[in-house]
Amino acid sequence: MMVSTHFLSRHNIGMLSTATALLSFASPTALFSTLIFATHGHAFAAPGAFTKPSNHPYTFTSTATTKKSTSLSSRRLPDDYPNLNLITPALAAIRKAAKITTCLQPTTSLSKISGITKTDTSPVTIGDFAAQAIVLNLLDKEVEEGEDVFIAEESSQNLDEDLSLEILRVFQQVGLNGIIDNEEDLKRSIDLGQTYGTDGHLNDSVRKRMQEPGLTTRVWCLDPIDGTRGFLRGKQDGGQYCIALALIEDGVPIMGILGCPNLPTDAGDENYAWGDDETGTERGCIFVASRGGGCYQLPLYAASGDDGDTTGAQKVQVTGNDGGADSLSLEEARFCIGVEKYGDPEGKVTAIAKKIHGRLDDDGDILFTRRMDSQVKYGVVARGGSEFITRLPKKEYHEWIWDHACGKIIIEEAGGMQTDTDGNLIDYGLGAKMDKEVDGILISAGGVYHEAILKAYKEQEAERPSST
């Protein structure tokens, strides 16, 4: 499934020193074998920054509802919040994973980190493996044996002894030793999520168990580092990534926890890149959503030291979507799109934006855009920082559910919407992949915005030259 390659060079230890200051752990004592993933050399706008034409009168004003309050520090998730008994241990697992990824993320795109390259040329780092192992190991201890299924992106198939030992050292350095202490348990924990084949179909034994009469099987879906290219882009280069966990029942995500270590806590803060002397204590947040309970933003780390503590919870909502005074006009609505150009290989997003805004800027680009990697975009829209997200890959691409399952419940509980390009809800109960008929995903703040993006999509499709 993956091709592993050894590269030995010295690791940029500065990023570990930064994380040490943040997490108050001892200074690292080991150097890592490293692999440089080529992330520089691509042309893209500064991640996170809104771009607009200089001759346009529009000035960005956040419509976010996450305003600071003197009573914020004492707020918690409501006692009757749906699935709170599951959210608490899952939140603790995500926070522990965030300590690992924050420690390991490169400082810039020129820094180094160990990893391998998959056969589809996508990178996977020791951060991906470590985060997946910790989250699944902890969740596995919380659920009843045989009742829950895990689906997660990474496999230990090509994780060799050197990389395994490196990950175990990282656990010790961030104070998580005692959870996974040996290579065997590390690989077992990672592979708890390997319940499917390369085609995305669940293994026969898993399907048989899920079809037992009277048994409601929950599926935990995890992307340990969603936006690995953003992770590799580095802290000081504005690289965004997230740890995305969803709980799915009957094909519908009912709970989601989205850990965003580099996202500013204030929705109006556009400073997405770490400063030279930054320790990270003023950035990073977690979005929590559960069906019927709304969406909340929590601090990345709990001040109490209890990783399951929900203190600091603040309810978030999308931009007003009824076309009234709290809404942005469609001509000023903002797109939150990917950094890499392959996210819009056929120029469809640009065509959609032109129809919604009425024109493009002087360079032929979308008028109001924020570019960033990963499902972090869902959090940005959920708290009113943008109105549109699009996912329109090449026709032959078959979507994995971990790239959108968590984002779906986050955006919907904040008042937004996620559908396919026909306006239909997406089935997340077919295995590790979506239905092949899903040829794109449209996400918005809902209401007038979703009506507009569906209409614009259909119009630009109708204007495209026929492929026959």
Side-chain angles (χ1 to χ4, degrees):
M1 181 177 179
M2 288 181 276
V3 179
S4 178
T5 314
H6 290 287
F7 296 78
L8 295 178
S9 59
R10 293 181 65 84
H11 186 65
N12 186 330
I13 208 71
M15 66 183 177
L16 289 173
S17 299
T18 300
T20 305
L22 166 63
L23 302 174
S24 300
F25 297 130
S27 299
T29 57
L31 293 176
F32 299 149
S33 61
T34 59
L35 164 62
I36 303 176
F37 289 109
T39 60
H40 50 286
H42 296 285
F44 52 84
F50 267 112
T51 58
K52 63 185 182 70
S54 58
N55 61 346
H56 195 278
Y58 173 67
T59 300
F60 167 68
T61 302
S62 173
T63 62
T65 58
T66 53
K67 296 178 181 178
K68 294 182 179 180
S69 168
T70 55
S71 61
L72 176 61
S73 61
S74 61
R75 298 177 185 172
R76 296 173 181 266
L77 290 179
D79 291 339
D80 60 350
Y81 192 69
N83 298 305
L84 186 60
N85 63 317
L86 297 173
I87 287 171
T88 301
L91 175 63
I94 294 298
R95 279 180 165 147
K96 288 178 172 62
K99 293 175 183 177
I100 295 168
T101 60
T102 300
C103 173
L104 287 174
Q105 187 183 17
T107 304
T108 72
S109 60
L110 298 179
S111 303
K112 307 171 185 179
I113 183 172
S114 300
I116 61 179
T117 302
K118 299 180 185 179
T119 53
D120 64 359
T121 73
S122 62
V124 55
T125 73
I126 59 170
D128 297 80
F129 291 124
Q132 180 163 314
I134 284 293
V135 172
L136 296 188
N137 180 288
L138 293 173
L139 287 179
D140 188 48
K141 295 172 181 175
E142 295 291 334
V143 302
E144 293 292 331
E145 184 177 359
E147 289 190 4
D148 287 31
V149 171
F150 298 112
I151 293 177
E153 182 171 7
E154 309 305 344
S155 165
S156 73
Q157 181 179 352
N158 288 313
L159 187 63
D160 63 20
E161 182 178 2
D162 289 342
L163 289 177
S164 296
L165 292 176
E166 189 172 334
I167 292 169
L168 294 173
R169 288 197 297 269
V170 171
F171 290 158
Q172 293 179 333
Q173 289 164 359
V174 298
L176 297 179
N177 48 308
I179 300 175
I180 299 174
D181 288 327
N182 58 70
E183 182 181 2
E184 181 181 359
D185 197 25
L186 172 65
K187 291 186 174 182
R188 181 197 68 82
S189 298
I190 292 171
D191 290 337
L192 286 169
Q194 289 298 295
T195 54
Y196 56 91
T198 55
D199 58 2
H201 295 157
L202 293 176
N203 298 337
D204 289 342
S205 60
V206 175
R207 287 204 305 271
K208 182 178 180 181
R209 172 157 44 102
M210 294 178 70
Q211 293 169 355
E212 292 181 12
L215 179 63
T216 300
T217 303
R218 301 177 305 205
V219 176
W220 295 87
C221 176
L222 173 69
D223 193 336
I225 294 183
D226 183 38
T228 300
R229 294 184 189 277
F231 179 77
L232 291 169
R233 192 166 283 113
K235 299 182 178 82
Q236 292 181 6
D237 287 344
Q240 292 292 323
Y241 71 96
C242 63
I243 305 160
L245 176 68
L247 180 61
I248 301 169
E249 284 187 359
D250 298 323
V252 179
I254 64 165
M255 187 191 87
I257 301 179
L258 188 69
C260 307
N262 288 342
L263 191 65
T265 57
D266 188 333
D269 185 352
E270 296 184 50
N271 183 19
Y272 280 66
W274 285 46
D276 292 341
D277 300 321
E278 186 173 339
T279 63
T281 55
E282 296 301 318
R283 71 171 62 240
C285 56
I286 296 177
F287 295 91
V288 174
S290 191
R291 187 165 59 184
C295 181
Y296 287 79
Q297 179 178 313
L298 278 67
L300 183 61
Y301 301 116
S304 66
D306 175 4
D307 287 332
D309 188 356
T310 66
T311 299
Q314 189 172 15
K315 198 167 188 177
V316 297
Q317 291 180 318
V318 297
T319 303
N321 60 21
D322 61 358
D326 292 333
S327 301
L328 280 178
S329 68
L330 291 176
E331 291 78 11
E332 295 178 334
R334 301 157 295 183
F335 281 75
C336 195
I337 60 179
V339 174
E340 306 287 353
K341 290 295 185 181
Y342 63 71
D344 185 22
E346 299 178 18
K348 293 184 178 183
V349 180
T350 303
I352 290 169
K354 182 178 180 180
K355 288 190 171 294
I356 291 176
H357 289 153
R359 66 184 182 90
L360 300 175
D361 69 15
D362 294 340
D363 296 321
D365 292 329
I366 301 172
L367 284 174
F368 310 113
T369 57
R370 172 171 283 162
R371 292 185 178 272
M372 64 183 66
D373 303 276
S374 82
Q375 287 177 80
V376 170
K377 294 188 283 289
Y378 279 93
V380 170
V381 175
R383 67 183 189 181
S386 292
E387 288 68 52
F388 297 118
I389 307 170
T390 59
R391 172 65 178 163
L392 300 171
K394 293 181 178 180
K395 288 285 186 182
E396 61 269 20
Y397 185 75
H398 195 179
E399 293 277 2
W400 297 94
I401 64 171
W402 51 66
D403 287 326
H404 297 279
C406 180
K408 174 183 170 62
I409 185 69
I410 294 294
I411 196 70
E412 289 184 349
E413 286 300 316
M417 183 171 284
Q418 178 206 85
T419 69
D420 65 16
T421 55
D422 291 321
N424 301 315
L425 297 179
I426 296 168
D427 188 349
Y428 285 87
L430 303 178
K433 287 189 174 184
M434 295 180 185
D435 191 309
K436 290 182 179 180
E437 297 303 312
V438 176
D439 62 356
I441 303 174
L442 302 177
I443 306 99
S444 76
V448 296
Y449 301 110
H450 212 73
E451 292 174 4
I453 199 168
L454 282 171
K455 180 174 181 288
Y457 176 82
K458 291 176 182 178
E459 288 178 352
Q460 64 84 31
E461 281 290 290
E463 295 170 2
R464 288 185 172 273
S466 175
S467 59
T468 58

